[in-house]
Amino acid sequence: MDSALIAPAQYFLLGFFPMVIVSVLIPVVGGAVFAYIIARRAAPLVRANPDPRWDRIPERLRQVFKIWLGQYRHPRYMLAGVLHIVLFAGFLILSIRSLSLVVIGIDAEFVFPGLKGWLGHVYDVVKDYASTAVFLTVSVAAVRRGVFRPARYAVPPRYGKDHTWEALLVLGLIATLMITENLFEASAVVAVRQQALPTGLVPPVTLLWLFSGMLSATAPATLQGIHLISYYIHDLAFFFFLCFLPMGKHFHVITSLFNVFFMRLRTGNVKPVRHGVADDQLDSLKTFGVKRFEDFTWKHILDFYTCVDCGRCSDNCPANAVKRPLSPRFISIKGRNYAFAHYPLSGEILKGEPLMGNTYEEDEIWSCTTCGACEQECPVGIEYIDKIVDLRRGMVDEGMVPQSLQKPLSALEKRGNPWGKMEKKRADWSREKTFAAEIAVKLVENGESADTLYFVDSITSYDDRMQNIARATARLLDAAGIDFCVLGKEEKDSGHEVRRFGEEMLFQDLKAQNMEAIQASAAKRIVTADPHAYNALKNDYPGLPPVEHISQVVTRAVREGKLRLKPIEDQAMVYTYHDPCYLGRHNALYEDPRQALDAIPGLRRVEMFRSRDRSFCCGGGGLMLFYEPEEEQRMGVLRVRMAREAGATVIVTACPFCLVNMEDAIKVAGLEGKMEAIDLSELLVRQLAAA
């Protein structure tokens, strides 16, 4: 399109001042300020602990394409997700135009590399529709944020000020960029038309099309003014926006790409106490865990910078749902506020203070069940569990352990189980008369062995009710023709919760004893019915034989015809499966338990609203059975009500901790006689067909 207006690069203000000087100064000053801000923001990252994240590059690139570029997690909140996807796509498309405009202010003939000819015409059409879509989207988002205000955006007074103003300011800046870019181009289009020169395509129903129509009768001098003013407003808004991004929650526009690239690729595991320090060298460390801000790793500080403040993590956090003093969102926000306050943009770095009691509260950190719902939901790969565990490690190192946890931790140290019961009673479940008359369980402590080791773990070994799960699991293994053994008194608690509650040295001791016993058993595979033991053995214990959950064993045995299941007796019963956190989210084991249930003829199964990777924690994981948090109601009660709303009369679990909480929750909710909870192994044994 021929130009009928003087370009900013060629315009002389008042006939003598070349505006190209302004066109150069704005990006030079803006770029310098931005570089300075980023350098200051990088200061805590440089001082933080190491965190090697350069492994598995192809997989990291796939995560970038899926989660960052593909916006995979955003549609889980449909309206907000679609709005964000449109904004993000527009950002990618229009970034080329914004960069081009910066250079056009200096060189009027500049064309972005590769966009000459037909491809440039195609891009012009795409960006015109993109800018229109972005403008409409920010308008909807502004109304939604400023008027309707979804509850998950609210900021309780104890956490600071509401961030609505910042969101509206950014939306206003984006709208300004869209309007000025289109006014800049529309004024040129109208001027060309007025001189009867050929114009390019003006896509209908776009801002360019609208503004071209509105300006059609505008005088040439006014068009020239609009052309220049809209350009410089766009240029100033662009660099103001760029420099404003690192000042708050919109820092994620810059950091999210890197945060997703460096996000954790494994689930279920916990970071080591200190990267580069082997487990057998932990005694050499003078301090454990996170006590000061700089004890976080650089990735975790990058997490703070990347928090979108969308509230999805807290909206899915079971601790937050029952009003425990924990909201994952504010773990990040308070960390970011600390970084901003102690690493200011000017002046000296301020002396830090202990995080506990100043930035974070003890009850807040102990309230986490490590269920992983927050991490599963986060659209930018923020990690919480490792931070929580590291903060707990720091508290344990300082002797700041809740009173209710001191006794079970002491019992674990002395007896290898949180109840302090005798080691020799660990296999008593196998000596129950009726069971023992049918199945003789091999005990490694008696010198017996088998290719399959059944790792029972503490709650199933010692709790009278949960011992039924142990016997049911053993019956399933026997019915499937699997020769198995148990460690008996040689087995210690898997230490799963011990590690996640910050008692690293006790975990290392339990792990060492268990590994020695497992290796001495010469077993070629391990089976367990406890997701916490399954996760620990699979993800925290190096060099063990393959580990399986009993649901995997049963599903395979049914498929191979080694197990036959008889039809359900009461056809009126409706079953729902509750995904345990450490079987589902942490290990992606969703299908095997469902396939095992669906293999029972006549069983009617429904899904709860929160299921699979959005399952709702029962609140019982390991030492949480001993912890006494401040909460309005129990997580298990909420979960039972979800099952009730789904139309279920039976909740099937695949975890002893879940079963404890579900049975208790049914009583608390007043649903005895109306609902029942049963473990998957118990149900399957009940439905075993005669050989």
Side-chain angles (χ1 to χ4, degrees):
M1 180 178 69
D2 295 328
S3 177
L5 296 175
I6 302 173
Q10 299 165 340
Y11 192 83
F12 285 79
L13 183 64
L14 302 177
F16 72 91
F17 183 79
M19 291 301 293
V20 69
I21 295 176
V22 178
S23 299
V24 171
L25 281 175
I26 291 175
V28 168
V29 173
V33 171
F34 176 72
Y36 172 81
I37 293 172
I38 293 299
R40 297 290 294 196
R41 290 292 185 241
L45 299 175
V46 174
R47 293 183 170 211
N49 270 323
D51 198 343
R53 299 273 180 152
W54 287 102
D55 59 330
R56 300 159 68 178
I57 299 299
E59 192 172 347
R60 294 190 179 281
L61 290 174
R62 283 196 295 271
Q63 292 288 76
V64 167
F65 278 101
K66 178 181 178 181
I67 295 176
W68 182 80
L69 185 62
Q71 302 279 282
Y72 176 75
R73 290 180 176 175
H74 280 278
R76 291 164 74 95
Y77 284 73
M78 187 55 70
L79 176 57
V82 170
L83 292 175
H84 193 277
I85 289 171
V86 173
L87 285 175
F88 180 75
F91 168 79
L92 295 180
I93 295 167
L94 296 169
S95 59
I96 296 174
R97 175 61 171 168
S98 292
L99 292 173
S100 297
L101 283 176
V102 172
V103 182
I104 285 171
I106 303 169
D107 177 7
E109 303 301 321
F110 175 78
V111 177
F112 198 87
L115 294 184
K116 290 185 178 180
W118 69 269
L119 189 57
H121 296 308
V122 171
Y123 173 76
D124 286 341
V125 173
V126 171
K127 67 91 176 167
D128 287 339
Y129 280 112
S131 64
T132 304
V134 168
F135 178 76
L136 294 173
T137 299
V138 297
S139 301
V140 173
V143 172
R144 181 172 177 272
R145 190 68 189 254
V147 178
F148 295 101
R149 297 191 177 192
R152 60 190 171 93
Y153 296 148
V155 178
R158 69 179 184 276
Y159 290 131
K161 297 180 180 179
D162 186 271
H163 302 145
T164 299
W165 72 268
E166 183 183 342
L168 293 176
L169 173 61
V170 167
L171 292 172
L173 285 170
I174 296 172
T176 300
L177 291 171
M178 298 304 103
I179 291 170
T180 52
E181 189 275 329
N182 281 279
L183 279 174
F184 173 74
E185 190 165 354
S187 59
V189 168
V190 172
V192 168
R193 284 177 179 172
Q194 288 178 351
Q195 296 186 22
L197 296 172
T199 62
L201 174 65
V202 177
V205 199
T206 62
L207 284 177
L208 177 60
W209 173 80
L210 176 65
F211 291 161
S212 297
M214 292 171 62
L215 297 174
S216 60
T218 305
T222 305
L223 289 175
Q224 181 68 66
I226 292 172
H227 194 64
L228 289 170
I229 293 171
S230 60
Y231 173 82
Y232 286 108
I233 291 176
H234 185 282
D235 221 19
L236 287 167
F238 177 79
F239 282 100
F240 176 80
F241 188 27
L242 186 66
C243 294
F244 182 75
L245 291 177
M247 310 298 286
K249 80 183 193 73
H250 290 89
F251 203 179
H252 75 270
V253 174
I254 298 168
T255 61
S256 59
L257 169 61
F258 307 102
N259 210 61
V260 170
F261 178 81
F262 290 117
M263 69 186 289
R264 65 187 293 170
L265 298 179
R266 288 181 59 196
T267 55
N269 65 316
V270 174
K271 70 172 284 291
V273 174
R274 186 80 55 83
H275 285 289
V277 178
D279 292 343
D280 58 2
Q281 298 175 328
L282 291 178
D283 285 332
S284 66
L285 294 177
K286 294 181 180 179
T287 182
F288 271 44
V290 169
K291 300 174 185 177
R292 301 178 305 111
F293 188 73
E294 292 75 15
D295 292 334
F296 284 118
T297 73
W298 63 263
K299 170 58 172 67
H300 293 156
I301 295 177
L302 185 64
D303 280 347
F304 297 149
Y305 284 165
T306 307
C307 180
V308 184
D309 195 16
C310 64
R312 294 180 182 215
C313 54
S314 296
D315 201 35
N316 287 274
C317 173
N320 187 59
V322 297
K323 300 297 186 290
R324 289 189 185 184
L326 169 66
S327 177
R329 168 190 174 200
F330 293 102
I331 296 293
S332 291
I333 291 174
K334 290 193 287 188
R336 182 172 63 214
N337 290 344
Y338 182 101
F340 286 0
H342 289 77
Y343 291 82
L345 294 181
S346 62
E348 296 293 323
I349 295 173
L350 303 184
K351 183 179 180 181
E353 69 271 350
L355 290 175
M356 300 311 303
N358 293 297
T359 301
Y360 302 114
E361 300 300 325
E362 292 181 48
D363 287 347
E364 176 182 23
I365 303 305
W366 289 116
S367 290
C368 177
T369 66
T370 71
C371 72
C374 51
E375 295 187 8
Q376 182 67 43
E377 206 66 36
C378 181
V380 289
I382 290 174
E383 301 160 17
Y384 287 100
I385 294 174
D386 283 346
K387 296 188 192 78
I388 294 287
V389 170
D390 260 345
L391 286 164
R392 288 173 173 176
R393 285 167 172 164
M395 285 193 285
V396 169
D397 197 38
E398 294 293 320
M400 301 161 63
V401 179
Q403 184 69 33
S404 60
L405 292 180
Q406 292 177 12
K407 184 176 180 180
L409 286 172
S410 177
L412 279 159
E413 186 175 4
K414 294 176 182 177
R415 294 291 185 187
N417 70 84
W419 291 275
K421 295 188 177 182
M422 299 292 290
E423 295 92 327
K424 65 182 180 180
K425 294 186 177 182
R426 189 172 275 272
D428 277 3
W429 60 269
S430 66
R431 301 184 182 101
E432 191 269 333
K433 291 183 180 180
T434 303
F435 174 81
E438 299 175 9
I439 300 175
V441 175
K442 293 182 176 180
L443 295 174
V444 173
E445 65 179 85
N446 293 339
E448 298 172 301
S449 64
D451 285 347
T452 297
L453 171 68
Y454 170 31
F455 193 95
V456 187
D457 217 356
S458 295
I459 188 170
T460 314
S461 296
Y462 290 112
D463 185 274
D464 291 341
R465 169 67 182 89
M466 297 307 118
Q467 286 180 350
N468 290 336
I469 297 177
R471 287 187 280 269
T473 303
R475 289 182 187 277
L476 289 172
L477 292 171
D478 182 70
I482 297 172
D483 185 30
F484 70 96
C485 61
V486 299
L487 294 174
K489 67 179 182 180
E490 303 300 322
E491 180 186 295
K492 304 296 180 184
D493 190 276
S494 66
H496 186 266
E497 274 63 50
V498 172
R499 184 174 220 193
R500 283 150 186 82
F501 272 75
E503 248 294 8
E504 184 69 22
M505 295 308 292
L506 176 55
F507 165 75
Q508 293 296 337
D509 185 49
L510 294 169
K511 181 185 75 172
Q513 294 180 69
N514 278 326
M515 287 189 66
E516 182 179 355
I518 291 169
Q519 290 165 353
S521 74
K524 296 179 180 178
R525 70 164 174 168
I526 303 171
V527 174
T528 182
D530 185 333
H532 298 259
Y534 172 77
N535 187 72
L537 297 172
K538 181 172 177 275
N539 295 308
D540 293 338
Y541 284 52
L544 290 186
V547 183
E548 289 188 303
H549 185 261
I550 188 62
S551 63
Q552 296 171 286
V553 177
V554 169
T555 301
R556 185 170 57 250
V558 170
R559 187 166 53 243
E560 294 173 354
K562 296 178 180 178
L563 277 181
R564 292 191 303 112
L565 302 173
K566 62 186 179 181
I568 206 80
E569 293 180 5
D570 190 346
Q571 299 287 330
M573 303 295 281
V574 180
Y575 295 76
T576 190
Y577 174 67
H578 161 75
D579 290 279
C581 303
Y582 276 96
L583 200 60
R585 258 190 304 270
H586 288 285
N587 288 287
L589 226 172
Y590 300 112
E591 297 307 321
D592 287 279
R594 287 175 170 80
Q595 290 176 11
L597 286 173
D598 293 341
I600 300 174
L603 182 140
R604 296 167 57 201
R605 182 172 66 84
V606 296
E607 289 282 3
M608 286 182 273
F609 172 70
R610 286 189 175 274
S611 64
R612 299 180 187 271
D613 65 352
R614 265 188 165 172
S615 184
F616 192 84
C617 181
C618 73
L623 295 181
M624 277 293 172
L625 292 178
F626 300 91
Y627 181 55
E628 299 171 357
E630 175 189 337
E631 58 187 7
E632 287 188 358
Q633 61 182 317
R634 300 181 186 181
M635 295 178 195
V637 172
L638 281 183
R639 191 56 169 162
V640 166
R641 288 174 179 164
M642 292 177 196
R644 184 73 170 171
E645 289 170 5
T649 56
V650 181
I651 303 174
V652 182
T653 76
C655 171
F657 296 110
C658 292
L659 185 59
V660 169
N661 272 19
M662 293 303 170
E663 289 187 333
D664 189 49
I666 288 172
K667 297 175 185 176
V668 172
L671 294 173
E672 287 183 283
K674 299 177 182 178
M675 293 200 73
E676 173 191 357
I678 188 171
D679 186 80
L680 178 66
S681 296
E682 294 177 309
L683 176 60
L684 291 170
V685 164
R686 184 194 295 174
Q687 299 306 128
L688 279 178

